[in-house]
Structures are given as structure tokens and as C-alpha cells.
Amino acid sequence: MSRPSPKVGFVSLGCPKALVDSERILTQLRAEGYSISPSYNDADLVVVNTCGFIDSAVTESLDAIGEALAENGKVIVTGCLGAKGDVVKKAHPQVLAVTGPHALEEVMLAVHHHLPKPHDPYIDLVPAQGIKLTPAHYAYLKISEGCNHRCSFCIIPSLRGDLVSRPIGEVLTEAEHLVDSGVKELLVISQDTSAYGVDVKYRTDFWGGMPVKTRMLELVKHLGDMGVWVRLHYVYPYPHVDEVIPLMQAGKILPYLDIPFQHASPKILKAMKRPAAAEDTLARIRAWRAACPELVIRSTFIVGFPGETEEDFQMLLDFLEAAQLDRVGCFPYSPVEGAAANALPGQVPEEVKQERLERFMEVQAEISAARLERRIGQEMTVLVDEITDDGTALARSYADAPEIDGVVIIENSAGLEVGEFARVRITDAGDHDLWAERI
């Protein structure tokens, strides 16, 4: 009688890059014959992939580790908080092992040590695209690890290291497998997508016997030929980003850019050590929109950064009015252990941070609502993400990334299926979402 496969529970926290790390670990576990348990009680041990970027994420991760220990007792910790191994060990000394982010081999070694793998791996049970935690119709495609920037508010380089670009042949092959499996949307992610290939001096790799340079432009050109939506995240406004705009205008990739501008005051940008100036950024946005009028831009900002005066904040509000960004997130500055910004003078009181956050969001809410209202009457292609119990379809247009942007609500979903495209006409707009009817 054969022995049952050992079972591993899994908890995945953090950003899409951490999600991809989780998918790789899960893929390797399944490839080696481990079963994945949906519950603590049924698992032989639990792996917790953590986030450690800001204080609230650290708290969430430590709580998740504590819960896994209480419910199961055998826990391996990986991810960004794992890079601060002493933090984990001090809070939860009974964990079996602690590794940092993108540490597949180290995680598997720990699993093998505490839960020996089955004798015969069931490799044929694992699909070519691996195990995914996203819905079947979209997937994140991580093209690099780490970052070469040293933004004063960020500790990502100390957690994930300097930029390491994946070979472009490997990335494109993964994308092919995902498309073959039925994925309709590829979301390209990294810490700095526009820097892809810088670390290897845009080295030539091979894909399907064809030489291809390890560079963002070449990557998105080939992804654009795969017949699915391609969405770019975490792009810095470098001049060479101009090269991908014609691909958007031609319909090869989605006219959507996720660019974390963070601020607009030259003084604050310098203190943040950000590689851009507001004047250059506005000029670039105008040029992009002139070349591709349908372009949607999402961004994130920080208010209350050390040294931010009312004048600096007003510059940020003026930038919002001038830039007319479609989707925006904003966060009050929060000290992160190990970040250089913690030592900067002029720390802003918490009540001032919150007041500025509210003012910021009021300005942006009006801008976002006005831009959405202009969609009324337009015909758009949407991708259906969900059909609710009452028959309402929740979909997304090219302007909406999953989880972070709005949705297109279709109240009569008859004939629609999750993971399929549909043509709709926009009938109404709110502050974040659109309503539509099928054409």
C-alpha cells in the first residue's frame, strides 16, 4: 500500500513579486510530489511567505507566523521579513527555518530536512506554467529581482539585493506556457521594469533559436505578439520608456503605465533620491499622451515625507492638477526600520500627514471621477473577473489592473463567462468604477 504524499500548508503575503516567489515554491513542491494542504490541521508543516516592507506588513507577517505556529506547530518562514531573520527569531524562536526572499533552493532544503520528499516525484502532474495563485485568466510575469536604486524611504535593495534580470529567453518561454494554459492577461512586474537588462548590459539571449536582447523594448515587442493583454507595472519615467508608447498606440500592448512618481517637489524628490524631476515628468506625460491619447497612467505618492513643507505639498497638488493621472494611490510617510529617511531632519507630525493625505485624495478623487465620466457612451473591451451570486459581472478594461484599480460592473451577465473578453458600452461612472451594458 502506497504512503500518502506529505502535505505542506502555505500562506502567501505581500506584493505581486512575493506572490510569484510563492508560485515558484508551490510549483517545486508539487513537482517533487508534495501535496498542498488548504488547512493548518491537515498539513505536515506550513511555509509562510512574508512581507517586511513597512511596519504594518511586519506586524501582519508576524501575526501570520504566530497563527501558523499555534494551529500547526511546524513553520518555515521565507520572504522579505525573513531577510530580517533576527526579527522573526526573536518573536517566534520556535520556527523551523528562516530564509530571505526569492530563496527557492533554501526553502526546499528546509522542507526536505523537516519533511523528507516522496521517493518518486510526480512531475507529470505539474503543468508547464507551474502552480499559480491568481485566477486562471491572468498571471504575473516577474522579469527581474532586486533594484539598483537607493531611495531613502525604501529597504528593498537590502532585502532583495541589486537588480538581477532574468534571461529573456526564460521569461518569454514562461509567457508562452502561461498563454498556452489559457492566460488572457500578462502583468509584467519587477522592482524597476524599465531597468530590465541593465545589469547584464542588454546581453543577447536566445528564444526559440532566435537571438533576442535582454531589454524592455524587445521583451514587450515579443510579448505583444502573443495575442493577450500585456500590462506594464513598476516603470520608471526614463527616456527610453518613450520607445514602448508606439507599441501601445498600435495595440500590441495595453496603453497602461504604472509609474511610482512618489512626489513632485524637487527638494523632496532629491531627499527621496528619486531619479526624476517633476518638470521633465510632466513634459514626458504630455508627449506620451500626444502619441497615444488612450494612455492610462497609474501612480503612487508619499505625503508627509521628512522635510515636506506646505509649499512642497502644494507643488504636489499642482502636479496632480497638471498631470491629470487616471489612477492614484497615496500613503502617509511611515518610517521603515533600516531606511535612510529615518535620520532626515524635519519629521512631519502625524496629524499633518493625515490632513495632507485627505487633501491629496480630495483633489485626486475629482480628477479620477472626471476622467471616468468621459468614458460614458464609449464602447470598450473588458475581461470578466467574476460573476456574483446575483448575476452581476465584475470585469476590467485595459485601464484597470486587478486588485488595485476599479472595475467595470455589468448588471446582466447572461452569456458572460469568467476569463473571457466581452464588448460593452459604458453607461455610468462613479469615483472609481464604471457601469456598462453588453453590446
Side-chain angles (χ1 to χ4, degrees), residues 327-384:
R327 304 288 193 183
V328 169
C330 185
F331 307 91
Y333 171 74
S334 173
V336 177
E337 183 182 349
N342 297 346
L344 292 175
Q347 297 288 324
V348 178
E350 288 300 321
E351 60 270 20
V352 176
K353 292 179 188 177
Q354 290 302 318
E355 184 261 346
R356 289 177 180 170
L357 173 64
E358 292 172 8
R359 288 164 60 194
F360 178 102
M361 294 310 298
E362 285 177 7
V363 170
Q364 182 56 42
E366 291 186 6
I367 294 171
S368 296
R371 294 188 71 81
L372 286 174
E373 190 172 2
R374 294 192 302 194
R375 298 277 186 192
I376 296 175
Q378 290 184 8
E379 295 182 3
M380 303 186 77
T381 297
V382 297
L383 182 58
V384 179

Side-chain angles (χ1 to χ4, degrees), residues 40 44-50 61-79 81-100 110-111 113-114:
Y40 291 123
D44 296 303
L45 64 77
V46 178
V47 177
V48 180
N49 190 6
T50 61
S61 294
L62 290 175
D63 287 347
I65 295 167
E67 180 180 320
L69 284 168
E71 297 293 331
N72 182 275
K74 299 177 69 176
V75 177
I76 293 169
V77 176
T78 186
L81 186 59
K84 306 175 182 180
D86 56 331
V87 173
V88 176
K89 284 290 189 180
K90 285 178 181 176
H92 300 295
Q94 62 270 53
V95 297
L96 300 177
V98 180
T99 80
V111 172
H113 178 72
H114 295 284

Side-chain angles (χ1 to χ4, degrees), residues 43 72 128 154 192 196 216 222 234 244 251 265 317 322 336 378 385 388:
N72 182 275
C154 182
D192 181 0
Y196 179 61
M216 182 177 73
H222 290 295
Y234 312 115
V244 305
S265 162
L317 296 184
V336 177
Q378 290 184 8
D385 279 339
T388 65

Side-chain angles (χ1 to χ4, degrees), residues 103-178:
L104 172 63
E105 292 184 3
E106 291 90 336
V107 172
M108 293 309 301
L109 283 173
V111 172
H112 294 159
H113 178 72
H114 295 284
L115 186 63
K117 64 180 181 177
H119 179 67
D120 294 315
Y122 298 103
I123 296 175
D124 57 319
L125 296 182
V126 179
Q129 74 274 12
I131 305 299
K132 294 296 173 184
L133 299 177
T134 49
H137 58 280
Y138 70 80
Y140 294 102
L141 183 66
K142 184 158 64 170
I143 63 174
S144 64
E145 294 285 0
C147 183
N148 286 344
H149 296 295
R150 295 296 182 265
C151 300
S152 61
F153 56 82
C154 182
I155 57 171
I156 291 296
S158 66
L159 296 177
R160 290 185 168 261
D162 289 336
L163 175 71
V164 179
S165 299
R166 292 178 62 196
I168 192 167
E170 177 183 301
V171 174
L172 290 172
T173 298
E174 180 182 347
E176 280 186 312
H177 290 323
L178 289 168

Side-chain angles (χ1 to χ4, degrees), residues 30-70:
R30 290 292 291 115
E32 294 188 9
Y34 291 93
S35 296
I36 308 303
S37 172
S39 68
Y40 291 123
N41 293 337
D42 199 37
D44 296 303
L45 64 77
V46 178
V47 177
V48 180
N49 190 6
T50 61
C51 179
F53 184 45
I54 58 177
D55 290 346
S56 60
V58 171
T59 300
E60 181 186 18
S61 294
L62 290 175
D63 287 347
I65 295 167
E67 180 180 320
L69 284 168

